[in-house]
Amino acid sequence: MENICVLGTLFKENFLCSKIQKKEFTKGEMITSYIENRRQICFLKEGSADLIRTDFNGEVTTLEYYKKGDLFGELFYLITSNTQLNVIAKEDCEVLFISYNFLINRCNRVCKRHEEIQETLLNLIFKRMIILTNHIEMLTKKSIREKLLSYFTTLSFQKSTKTFTLPLTLTALATYLNIDRSAMMREMKYLEEEGFIKKEKRKITLF
């Protein structure tokens, strides 16, 4: 929450910076597409969104989900010619578009707390890299059980509790882990029967 509060100072009264833009989006609207040389990162100030991949066959996959306080942008993904990547608002959103130059240089105006904001952004970039690394690690698991337990363990660590609510719907979770939803539901049932987890709708307790 500290990072959100620091960046929340942006666009308050008396704060102006030519290297940052604030935009609002409605549910279902495309926030950005990933293309080369855009040279910006996005900070989700309010709302939630998904990163959607559409391949050359037209198959649609949800790669990531973003909540208030998350960063996203092409900085975090390799751009290829046979894949389209779009960030779509899941609900009404407020987004800050931040130029790479903001991270490197001071702007022409004398912006208060500029260095503190730069440091906060760099910390958020580091956290996003960790999330991406964890996601890749989950996807490398061979079985559905291993993928689920890896995901649950990661959530438990992030929230510092054995009991947590899944941030995704079960359909979105299956897409996120690249597994069949029906097979995933069967495996979750087996995990509960064998005492690995307790499940109440989207509430999970990890044993």
Side-chain angles (χ1 to χ4, degrees):
M1 291 300 295
E2 180 182 354
N3 290 330
I4 298 174
C5 292
V6 170
L7 292 184
T9 62
L10 298 173
F11 294 98
K12 279 189 174 182
E13 188 176 358
N14 299 326
F15 187 94
L16 295 173
C17 182
S18 61
K19 296 182 176 63
I20 303 176
Q21 293 181 312
K22 181 177 72 171
K23 297 182 180 180
E24 296 180 352
F25 300 88
T26 58
K27 179 180 179 179
E29 190 174 359
M30 185 176 74
I31 296 174
T32 187
S33 60
Y34 287 7
I35 60 175
E36 295 186 51
N37 300 320
R38 192 187 293 272
R39 298 187 63 78
Q40 67 181 14
I41 56 176
C42 304
F43 175 75
L44 190 55
K45 195 165 181 285
E46 296 289 343
S48 60
D50 288 328
L51 174 61
I52 305 298
R53 180 184 67 190
T54 305
D55 65 19
F56 63 94
N57 290 320
E59 183 176 348
V60 176
T61 305
T62 302
L63 293 181
E64 284 197 278
Y65 56 94
Y66 306 119
K67 62 184 184 302
K68 178 179 178 179
D70 282 342
L71 284 182
F72 55 90
E74 64 267 22
L75 170 68
F76 305 106
Y77 272 88
L78 176 66
I79 308 300
T80 62
S81 59
N82 61 350
T83 300
Q84 182 179 355
L85 297 172
N86 296 321
V87 179
I88 307 297
K90 289 176 63 177
E91 57 185 326
D92 291 351
C93 293
E94 186 175 320
V95 181
L96 303 182
F97 292 81
I98 305 167
S99 166
Y100 287 175
N101 289 334
F102 183 90
L103 295 172
I104 302 171
N105 306 309
R106 291 193 67 100
C107 54
N108 294 330
R109 299 175 184 270
V110 180
C111 299
K112 295 180 180 180
R113 301 180 71 186
H114 189 105
E115 291 182 1
E116 182 179 359
I117 294 169
Q118 285 177 319
E119 182 179 352
T120 301
L121 284 169
L122 290 173
N123 286 335
L124 286 171
I125 289 172
F126 178 68
K127 289 176 65 177
R128 175 52 54 185
M129 292 299 187
I130 292 176
I131 290 172
L132 288 172
T133 300
N134 287 338
H135 190 195
I136 293 171
E137 177 68 19
M138 293 171 199
L139 294 177
T140 61
K141 302 296 184 183
K142 295 182 178 180
S143 69
I144 294 175
R145 171 169 295 209
E146 289 176 321
K147 288 183 177 183
L148 284 170
L149 289 177
S150 177
Y151 179 72
F152 294 155
T153 301
T154 298
L155 280 183
S156 176
F157 177 78
Q158 290 174 350
K159 299 180 180 298
S160 300
T161 177
K162 293 289 187 180
T163 300
F164 47 86
T165 300
L166 296 175
L168 298 172
T169 66
L170 295 174
T171 298
L173 176 58
T175 300
Y176 186 70
L177 296 177
N178 194 29
I179 52 183
D180 178 75
R181 186 186 186 280
S182 297
M184 182 189 75
M185 296 303 297
R186 285 195 299 271
E187 193 59 52
M188 290 179 73
K189 180 180 178 182
Y190 296 151
L191 286 171
E192 187 168 22
E193 290 175 349
E194 295 172 24
F196 287 94
I197 66 170
K198 180 180 179 181
K199 179 179 174 296
E200 299 177 25
K201 296 183 179 179
R202 285 167 58 183
K203 184 177 179 180
I204 301 292
T205 300
L206 188 62
F207 296 109

